[in-house]
Amino acid sequence: MLLCLLGACGPLASGGDDDTGGDDEGGGDGGGSSGPDAPAGPRSVFDPAVTEVLVEIDYEPGAEPFTGNVIGFGDTFAITQSNIERLFAGRKSVALPTTLAGMENIGDVPDEALTVDDLLQLAAAHRSGADTSTRKTYYVLFLTGYFADGNGPNAGVLGVALGDTGVIAIFKDVIDSTQVPATNVARFVEQSTLVHELGHAIGLVDNGVAVTSPHDDTVHGAHCTNDACVMYWQNEGAGDMAAYVQRAVLTGDTILFDAACLADVDALTGGP
Ligand SMILES: [Zn+2]
Ligand SMILES: [Zn+2]
């Protein structure tokens, strides 16, 4: 259940404040504001000057993401690759590692109750990519343990996106809890979670990307009201995401965003 991650729990400031809710953030500052005094980096990934989107992935041993070919499907990471490319209508190059060789093993992280501050500290220690005037970077950590807020560890939270920091964490123990024996459910839950969190970081559903139709979930901010969309709030929760994946991914829908979410980004890119 829970999932929220993101907005529901309230915006998290990028500075790592102690907002207990965490998750995904809904701060709405993904787009940022640019003024004459703005620093050199891009203010929004949708700025036409940004031509390159770089996703960096690090993992704790034992929490590495599923990779590789699935018979009858293709490469596991094709799900994230195709969905993120679709958000930018193919107008930006999307660099995403698809094998463990392209990701970094950061060593054991003994902490199994990871707060926002813990995650930001891990990012500060291990993140290599940096934004430039033409490149926007996102940083994904795959970790054992659970996301922790003021109420303690959340065994139902699959992932979180931390405000406008571009930092995402995916909680492997929760991903694994969705597995159905003899299926690829957990594998596809993991990819769908990555798409959901990158969607938050990129600014979907009024988190920087303005809505062009009323589909923003005003109760669980920065989520889509359509339960068939990967940005639906409960799709951050283990139980619902597993059901969603069996409906969507396993039946062959490659693009997990619904028409409303795609219309919002197409209004910025011009569409495919
Ligand atoms: Zn979310
Ligand atoms: Zn949607």
Side-chain angles (χ1 to χ4, degrees), residues 3-7 24 196-197 200 222-223 231-233 236:
L3 8 163
C4 146
L5 314 279
L6 229 241
D24 305 283
H196 180 109
E197 302 307 338
H200 281 316
H223 288 107
M231 297 311 295
Y232 184 63
W233 73 283
E236 228 149 27

Side-chain angles (χ1 to χ4, degrees), residues 4-44:
C4 146
L5 314 279
L6 229 241
C9 317
L12 287 187
S14 54
D17 63 13
D18 50 6
D19 180 322
T20 54
D23 57 238
D24 305 283
E25 151 138 294
D29 20 30
S33 58
S34 54
D37 300 312
R43 306 309 292 176
S44 165

Side-chain angles (χ1 to χ4, degrees), residues 204-205 215 223-232 256-262 264:
L204 289 192
V205 207
H215 67 105
H223 288 107
C224 182
T225 51
N226 180 359
D227 68 3
C229 178
V230 73
M231 297 311 295
Y232 184 63
L256 303 178
F257 300 102
D258 71 343
C261 283
L262 292 176
D264 296 346

